[in-house]
Amino acid sequence: MIVVGTGLAGAAAAASLGELGYNVKCFTFHDSPRRAHSIAAQGGINAAKNYQNDGDSIHRLFYDTVKGGDYRAREANVHRLAECSTDIIDQCVAQGVPFAREYGGLLENRSFGGVQVSRTFYARGQTGQQLLLGAYQALSRQIALGTVQMYNRHEMMDVVLVDGKARGIIARNLLTGELERHSAHCVIMATGGYGNVFYLSTNAMGCNVSAAWRAVKQGALMANPCFTQIHPTCIPVSGDYQSKLTLMSESLRNDGRIWVPKSKEDAAAIRSGKKKAIELKEEERDYFLERRYPAFGNLVPRDVASRAAKVACDEGFGVNATGLAVYLDFEAAIQRYGKQEANNQGNHTPDAATLRKPGEAKVAELYGNLFEMYEKITGDNPYKTPMMIYPAIHYTMGGLWVDYNLETNIPGLFALGECNFSDHGANRLGASALMQGLADGYFVIPYTVGIFLSNEIRTPKFNPDGPEFKATEKAVDDRLKALMNVKGNESVENFHRRLGRIMWDYCGMARNAEGLNKALGLIRELREEFHKNVFVPGSDRDFNPELEKAYRVADFMEMGELMVMDALNRNESCGGHFREEYTADNEAQRNDEEYAYVAAWEWTDTNTPPTLHKEPLKFENVELKTRSYK
């Protein structure tokens, strides 16, 4: 079997399937599986272990996830995810993942947005990196044993169907430019999300939708593409020169308090440099999340926190030069931890960290690498002055439609992790992406892929020289040559930046029918211009990063159009899909009578409107009601 992608879902799947005795080919466009974007996850991974004895349970994790997704997720998939969560932690501890521990040696937990229990396991601010190293170790073992054949620097260009079933892929060797045919009995995709359609996002610049979009062009359904997540704690945009944004982990909201000045005069003075944040007294600060959502405070879900920050800035209370930033302040936490240190003095020998100002040592222990990252990027010391943050595109809840077995509507084609739509509804709770990736890879696909294979009449190896493989390879080659032969005057990067601006302005944090209709026209015009005027240097039979970027941006153009169509079709506000026409007091208003379904889109070509297929959502274990975090 073929596994495409080596993030948490892909590496875990390839390792587990190799352990079961399958012959696996694993592909990544990186130079090493360890470069997968899972490495960038910071805050933690959820599991219903109830180590804090605060009332957590599998049912509560299930409920929080369904509610956090604004009741637009499939109950069965979410419950299975909650069930798997406890085994994931045991698996990772056995692999040696260095989770944070309490003084007595027990695993420590912290809280994340949208919950009122502590269930997030973490490794400082680099949890994704540590989990990926664990999965990579398991993958490396199988590579050494010969059950997994690893293909670095290979990008999947298309899925090959034989008699309507996924039986292989066409891959491009990114170092030589050569196209290769690889056959298998099934194909498993774990290729991440499509957040880079917005150009500026927290994703690595290489993250793209091309593998998933190739599957769509072969007949796979794309589900809920307009459900994109805005993360509330990112370093704000500082200029047009930027090519990506940097995430500050949601874990910071455990101890950081978000605020803006109460008066517009103070906000204006701060923006102009006449005042500093630390000069404002406590009574001059508006801790707007704590004011609006007293039950959850700074730990409301991401979509709620993001909208509240946008409202504050739209009303003129933003605190950076652009007016698009709010403060994330650790002054109170440093003082609180300082008092605890004073009370515990003499209980242990001081180390180098405790030579900091009282309270800073504990903050450094919890978030130190994040603070270092922030200071390196902005030049400000967050121990001394509040961080500036603003919402940005982060995760995509939409993805390839899959059934309970994680199989797409194309038999033999599976989708895992962020690549599919299955678990998060209209908004993902923090620390659930790592949970889903490992659950899908370690504990779901090893069982469900066998169901597909067991229903097959025993088949021999598929011949990569067969007519289906040759035809698909020719289609890929034609597509690459078409891009090379445009020989226009504008760079791929510039087209991508222009597309991202359209998507952010009209299909970003807030949307309305007028803007979405305008975006449709602008995207179609931009796509036409792209295919007439893009410039791709070099050769298609050589190492050519610009060509890689060109075919990824070409796919983003079509994906962006489908996202806008989906957003236009969904006449409600829910989670990350915030239609301004369907709001009350800046809160989302769902329409459960008409839109309690998964929107699965069938795309034919740019000249034919996509077909909408609806999968009704049934809620048998959770009461369907308005979300409240007050």
Side-chain angles (χ1 to χ4, degrees):
M1 51 187 63
I2 285 172
V3 176
V4 185
T6 58
L8 287 182
S16 300
L17 294 168
E19 184 73 27
L20 289 172
Y22 293 107
N23 296 309
V24 181
K25 287 184 175 182
C26 190
F27 294 81
T28 177
F29 62 68
H30 297 289
D31 57 352
S32 164
R34 292 192 303 160
R35 299 263 189 204
H37 191 57
S38 299
I39 202 169
Q42 297 169 345
I45 177 171
N46 289 330
K49 285 286 197 181
N50 195 31
Y51 284 168
Q52 305 297 316
N53 199 28
D54 54 5
D56 200 12
S57 65
I58 287 173
H59 178 80
R60 188 162 183 173
L61 173 55
F62 158 69
Y63 171 77
D64 285 344
T65 305
V66 172
K67 177 185 175 184
D70 216 351
Y71 302 92
R72 290 295 177 260
R74 207 190 267 150
E75 271 195 349
N77 288 66
V78 177
H79 196 275
R80 179 177 62 189
L81 177 65
E83 289 178 298
C84 289
S85 69
T86 56
D87 293 331
I88 293 169
I89 300 304
D90 295 339
Q91 170 98 354
C92 294
V93 169
Q95 289 175 337
V97 173
F99 287 121
R101 293 179 181 268
E102 296 175 343
Y103 185 71
L106 300 176
L107 293 179
E108 193 165 20
N109 295 122
R110 56 190 179 201
S111 291
F112 259 61
V115 303
Q116 291 178 310
V117 295
S118 293
R119 65 161 68 100
T120 304
F121 296 76
Y122 64 97
R124 213 178 184 190
Q126 51 184 237
T127 313
Q129 179 178 349
Q130 300 302 330
L131 291 172
L132 186 61
L133 287 173
Y136 174 66
Q137 288 174 166
L139 176 61
S140 296
R141 179 173 180 270
Q142 297 306 315
I143 294 171
L145 291 172
T147 61
V148 175
Q149 194 173 352
M150 191 68 228
Y151 291 85
N152 298 334
R153 289 289 192 186
H154 281 69
E155 183 157 20
M156 176 188 137
M157 303 301 294
D158 217 333
V159 184
V160 180
L161 304 187
V162 178
D163 296 328
K165 298 180 180 180
R167 299 301 195 186
I169 66 170
I170 304 298
R172 183 170 182 266
N173 184 325
L174 298 180
L175 295 178
T176 67
E178 295 298 315
L179 297 178
E180 301 175 3
R181 307 170 200 157
H182 296 273
S183 62
H185 290 89
C186 65
V187 176
I188 297 166
M189 292 176 53
T191 52
Y194 49 88
N196 272 354
V197 69
F198 292 89
Y199 186 72
L200 284 180
S201 78
T202 65
N203 291 183
M205 291 177 66
C207 294
N208 63 87
V209 75
S210 286
W213 194 247
R214 290 300 111 204
V216 170
K217 299 295 274 283
Q218 292 285 9
L221 302 178
M222 180 62 75
N224 298 336
C226 78
F227 286 167
T228 52
Q229 180 168 81
I230 314 292
H231 198 296
T233 53
C234 299
I235 297 179
V237 177
S238 58
D240 291 337
Y241 60 86
Q242 278 185 269
S243 54
K244 77 175 298 294
L245 298 174
T246 303
L247 173 70
M248 288 287 102
S249 169
E250 181 168 311
S251 62
L252 295 173
R253 290 199 277 146
N254 272 271
D255 285 308
R257 301 178 71 193
I258 295 174
W259 63 275
V260 291
K262 281 185 177 179
S263 81
K264 291 183 180 179
E265 291 75 16
D266 283 340
I270 289 172
R271 286 196 296 271
S272 64
K274 295 176 182 177
K275 264 190 177 182
K276 295 182 179 179
I278 55 175
E279 295 175 15
L280 266 64
K281 300 174 183 177
E282 191 75 6
E283 60 269 19
E284 297 174 317
R285 304 177 179 189
D286 177 17
Y287 296 94
F288 55 90
L289 291 180
E290 298 171 29
R291 171 174 54 81
R292 291 180 60 176
Y293 309 102
F296 283 73
N298 294 291
L299 285 174
V300 291
R302 291 174 177 179
D303 59 317
V304 177
S306 295
R307 280 196 296 276
K310 182 180 186 298
V311 168
C313 292
D314 288 349
E315 292 177 350
F317 295 98
V319 293
N320 70 346
T322 66
L324 298 178
V326 298
Y327 286 127
L328 179 61
D329 196 333
F330 285 84
E331 182 183 10
I334 290 171
Q335 290 179 1
R336 184 175 71 253
Y337 287 129
K339 291 177 181 177
Q340 292 176 7
E341 287 175 18
N343 293 335
N344 294 330
Q345 241 179 1
N347 290 352
H348 61 278
T349 304
D351 55 24
T354 60
L355 300 179
R356 294 177 179 270
K357 174 184 173 183
E360 290 184 4
K362 181 63 177 177
V363 171
E365 178 188 324
L366 293 169
Y367 315 111
N369 63 308
L370 299 171
F371 277 45
E372 291 165 13
M373 190 189 311
Y374 182 87
E375 185 170 7
K376 189 170 288 188
I377 292 170
T378 66
D380 291 331
N381 182 349
Y383 293 103
K384 310 299 181 187
T385 186
M387 290 182 178
M388 287 188 189
I389 57 166
Y390 193 70
I393 292 291
H394 177 57
Y395 188 90
T396 53
M397 286 76 66
L400 292 175
W401 182 90
V402 292
D403 61 14
Y404 186 70
N405 291 339
L406 304 184
E407 188 173 12
T408 69
N409 56 299
I410 297 176
L413 180 65
F414 296 81
L416 316 184
E418 191 179 358
C419 183
N420 72 34
F421 86 99
S422 65
D423 291 358
H424 305 298
N427 172 67
R428 177 176 68 78
L429 290 183
S432 288
L434 304 183
M435 177 173 62
Q436 186 205 352
L438 292 179
D440 287 357
Y442 281 138
F443 297 108
V444 180
I445 198 64
Y447 294 93
T448 61
V449 75
I451 297 172
F452 166 74
L453 296 171
S454 68
N455 290 326
E456 294 272 280
I457 298 173
R458 189 167 179 83
T459 55
K461 288 185 178 179
F462 289 91
N463 182 7
D465 293 324
E468 296 88 353
F469 283 85
K470 289 181 178 179
T472 308
E473 182 184 12
K474 184 179 184 306
V476 170
D477 194 40
D478 290 346
R479 195 163 67 246
L480 295 177
K481 282 183 165 52
L483 289 169
M484 294 298 307
N485 292 334
V486 175
K487 301 189 185 305
N489 298 313
E490 191 168 333
S491 71
V492 177
E493 188 80 0
N494 204 42
F495 276 109
H496 193 185
R497 185 182 284 110
R498 289 167 63 189
L499 173 65
R501 172 56 65 184
I502 294 169
M503 294 299 299
W504 177 253
D505 286 348
Y506 302 112
C507 194
M509 201 174 348
R511 306 152 182 192
N512 57 59
E514 181 183 358
L516 291 167
N517 278 307
K518 183 177 180 180
L520 272 182
L522 292 173
I523 292 170
R524 288 165 181 167
E525 290 173 11
L526 186 65
R527 184 173 65 235
E528 186 176 346
E529 183 185 347
F530 174 85
H531 288 290
K532 288 180 179 178
N533 197 39
V534 71
F535 173 67
V536 182
S539 164
D540 63 327
R541 286 295 183 267
D542 204 351
F543 175 69
N544 193 343
E546 283 301 302
L547 178 57
E548 297 168 35
K549 198 184 300 181
Y551 59 71
R552 293 170 184 170
V553 172
D555 292 333
F556 275 140
M557 297 271 186
E558 296 179 354
M559 181 66 190
E561 182 176 340
L562 185 62
M563 291 168 64
V564 172
M565 289 179 174
D566 188 37
L568 261 174
N569 171 75
R570 191 171 282 277
N571 294 318
E572 65 168 351
S573 286
C574 57
H577 170 63
F578 193 67
R579 284 283 296 270
E580 293 175 331
E581 308 99 309
Y582 307 102
T583 63
D585 191 26
N586 290 309
E587 302 290 349
Q589 285 188 317
R590 292 196 322 265
N591 181 347
D592 294 328
E593 290 186 10
E594 297 182 61
Y595 295 99
Y597 61 75
V598 176
W601 294 88
E602 180 182 353
W603 178 275
T604 307
D605 56 54
T606 55
N607 299 315
T608 308
T611 303
L612 174 60
H613 302 271
K614 299 178 181 180
E615 178 199 337
L617 291 170
K618 299 178 181 177
F619 296 92
E620 299 171 346
N621 299 285
V622 172
E623 181 186 353
L624 190 60
K625 60 183 180 181
T626 302
R627 278 198 307 173
S628 175
Y629 293 96
K630 296 180 179 181

